[in-house]
Amino acid sequence: MGAVAIEDVLFPGIDVRVIAVRVTAERVAVEASSCGRPPVCPDCGWPGRRVHSRYVRRVAERPVVGRTLAIWLSVRRFFCERASCRRRTFVEQVPDLSERYRRHSVGLRRWMQATATLLGGRPGERLCRVLLLPTGRTHLLGLLTAPVVPDQAPRVLGVDEFAFRKGWRYGTVLVDIEAARLVDVLPDRDAATFATWLREHPGAEIICRDGASAYSSAVREAAPGAQEIADGWHLLNNVSSAVEKTCHQHRSCLRKQAEADRDAEPRRIINPLPPPTLPLTKIAVRTVDRNSDIHRLLGQGCSVSEISRRLHLDRKTVRRFRDTDLDELLASARHGRPKGVLERYTAYLTERFTDGVTSPTDLFREIRQRGYQGSDLPVRRYVAGLMTGTVEPARGAVPSPRKITTWIMLPRGVLKPREEEQLLKVRLACPDITRACDLARAFHDLLQHRRGHQLLEWVRQAEHDAPCPILSFAQGLCLDLDAVTASLTLPWSSGIVEGHVNRIKTIKRAMYGRASFRLLRTRVLLRS
């Protein structure tokens, strides 16, 4: 193998000549001189022919052999001989090594830019300290520059919101659906901001969005010729919520059916159950007090936001207490019934307790054989509560509304035989839940098989005999009929946009939510 010049090792492909190399325990210092072709004037482009002088500048480079590398680079200053140019002299820059006004080499700057893009300020500073890169967090963040947004919007544009702070401040993310690439990030979710962006970046033919009215009005104002598409996931989520509300409203039907099935089974009663009138638990008392406080303030004309501030509650909680009957709220409080791993076995424990098996040890062994994986302490507490009357005995086993909704919305053929049997019992117990199940599955088929032309017929069926939550969902579809029909017909959706929203959340959390919008937008665009 032939000898290799030191220039080819330290500066491959760069026009410099190494004069001297000094190595210490902590640093490598290299004296070098530029030897490339004369540059041109940065103002007028006139080639430099006459050297004015030379001077030495210090350039920090990437570390080598576990030591920091500093380059003492001798560069030339040239005269600009063009009479019309205002610049008298200019300094040459060594390509791929030095830049104007910078003390770091081009390669080192790229390293630090990548570190700042992926890690941010403080984490990037800690990594650079380990890698022997001389920099601080402020300098790292200063290296970030947002890429230029294209003048033309993509043909298929996806738009969705994300939270800077959930419930308080939101932004907007714009995504090229076809290329799965982030296009831009906006500082809010106002219609005016999005409409201004659409005017400055024309060209969107299809716009995928959720049900937010602000985005719809912005599209109608700034891009009236674009085809709007409602997101399919949000449509399925909304119909699932309507089915779950229906199950909540008709839970009494399921309870009656379950108790009738249990009472129909012959059994020998040894110890009677505690009386049905039981003392309220702390959570039930709190529910009653909170319900009275909220309705008292509502009667005084207070808004939801004002009540939320006065009682230190979330606005969703205030709306739930406003729109839900007290009996249903107390039922959801569960009157002290156990939660967690024991909850699914309480109906069996109550039934065996009624049959005369009152030993906590025996009951614990029985439910262990049925799959219980907890300790015996919750079983002993529950049985003791049954004996003293301080725990509400579990009545006939009724699947939760969330579980029933899951059974209904899953594709046909996915459910296990036992789940199919339980869903059949639910359908037989309540005609309204049966109707909600049929309509929800029909809507799922419309979306899955792209049958948008049948949407109006589905809406007419829902308006004829659907339960109130399903009817409300159908009426909401009519307010955005064109976009919903397009969603049930065309293959585009906002799924890719949701992925970018999750990535933005990850970057935001890595900056502990303290970053400015400019910095967050820059990092998000650079990492797209």
Side-chain angles (χ1 to χ4, degrees), residues 24 43 63 78 90 93 96 106 117 132 138 157 173 191 251 262 308 322 353 378 393 397 403 406 412 479 515:
T24 64
D43 288 352
F78 288 85
F90 59 91
Q93 303 297 333
D96 298 327
V106 175
T117 301
L132 303 178
T138 304
L157 177 67
V173 57
R251 191 166 175 79
R262 194 189 68 169
S308 174
R322 180 195 64 185
F353 185 86
K403 183 173 292 186
T406 303
R412 293 179 178 87
L479 299 178

Side-chain angles (χ1 to χ4, degrees), residues 94-114:
V94 180
D96 298 327
L97 180 61
S98 65
E99 293 178 303
R100 195 177 182 188
Y101 302 135
R102 293 193 182 274
R103 297 183 179 181
H104 298 90
S105 68
V106 175
L108 180 58
R109 178 180 59 81
R110 290 172 181 167
W111 275 26
M112 292 190 294
Q113 267 186 337

Side-chain angles (χ1 to χ4, degrees), residues 198-236:
L198 288 176
R199 292 191 194 96
E200 295 174 352
H201 305 81
E205 300 177 6
I206 299 174
I207 298 179
C208 301
R209 57 168 178 80
D210 58 9
S213 59
Y215 297 143
S216 179
S217 60
V219 173
R220 290 195 300 268
E221 177 186 350
Q227 171 67 62
E228 298 180 60
I229 298 182
D231 181 47
W233 182 88
H234 286 90
L235 294 176
L236 286 179

Side-chain angles (χ1 to χ4, degrees), residues 309-509:
R309 287 192 298 270
R310 286 192 184 185
L311 301 182
H312 305 287
L313 298 174
D314 190 89
R315 288 176 294 181
K316 295 179 181 178
T317 303
V318 177
R319 293 192 190 98
R320 183 166 64 89
F321 274 80
R322 180 195 64 185
D323 302 333
T324 309
D325 294 334
L326 179 59
D327 293 339
E328 186 174 344
L329 292 172
L330 289 174
S332 64
R334 308 183 70 85
H335 293 279
R337 285 183 59 189
K339 297 181 180 179
V341 292
L342 184 62
E343 184 176 8
R344 56 180 296 193
Y345 302 98
T346 54
Y348 177 80
L349 291 175
T350 302
E351 182 178 354
R352 296 292 291 152
F353 185 86
T354 306
D355 289 340
V357 182
T358 59
S359 169
T361 302
D362 295 340
L363 293 174
F364 174 69
R365 292 195 185 107
E366 291 183 15
I367 62 174
R368 280 295 294 266
Q369 295 176 358
R370 289 175 166 264
Y372 176 69
Q373 296 181 352
S375 67
D376 63 337
L377 182 59
V379 180
R380 295 182 181 277
R381 288 176 177 172
Y382 185 71
V383 174
L386 290 176
M387 291 180 177
T388 59
T390 58
V391 171
E392 179 190 16
R395 294 170 284 183
V398 176
S400 66
R402 177 67 59 86
K403 183 173 292 186
I404 297 173
T405 304
T406 303
W407 293 340
I408 293 174
M409 298 307 298
L410 283 175
R412 293 179 178 87
V414 175
L415 296 181
K416 300 177 181 177
R418 185 168 177 270
E419 294 173 337
E420 290 279 6
E421 181 181 353
Q422 289 180 303
L423 179 58
L424 179 59
K425 290 182 179 180
V426 170
R427 290 171 60 92
L428 294 175
C430 181
D432 284 338
I433 295 182
T434 301
R435 187 57 179 155
C437 173
D438 295 338
L439 289 171
R441 286 183 166 178
F443 187 83
H444 186 276
D445 291 340
L446 294 183
L447 181 62
Q448 183 178 10
H449 300 292
R450 306 294 178 195
R451 297 172 182 169
H453 60 282
Q454 299 179 3
L455 177 61
L456 285 177
E457 178 61 27
W458 184 89
V459 171
R460 281 192 285 268
Q461 294 178 7
E463 291 176 342
H464 182 256
D465 58 354
C468 290
I470 301 293
L471 177 60
S472 177
F473 169 73
Q475 292 172 346
L477 296 182
C478 295
L479 299 178
D480 199 14
L481 188 60
D482 292 340
V484 175
T485 304
S487 176
L488 301 181
T489 306
L490 301 176
W492 308 109
S493 70
S494 298
I496 296 175
V497 185
E498 295 293 341
H500 283 280
V501 169
N502 291 333
R503 192 165 56 85
I504 291 175
K505 291 178 181 178
T506 303
I507 296 175
K508 178 174 67 71
R509 289 166 183 161

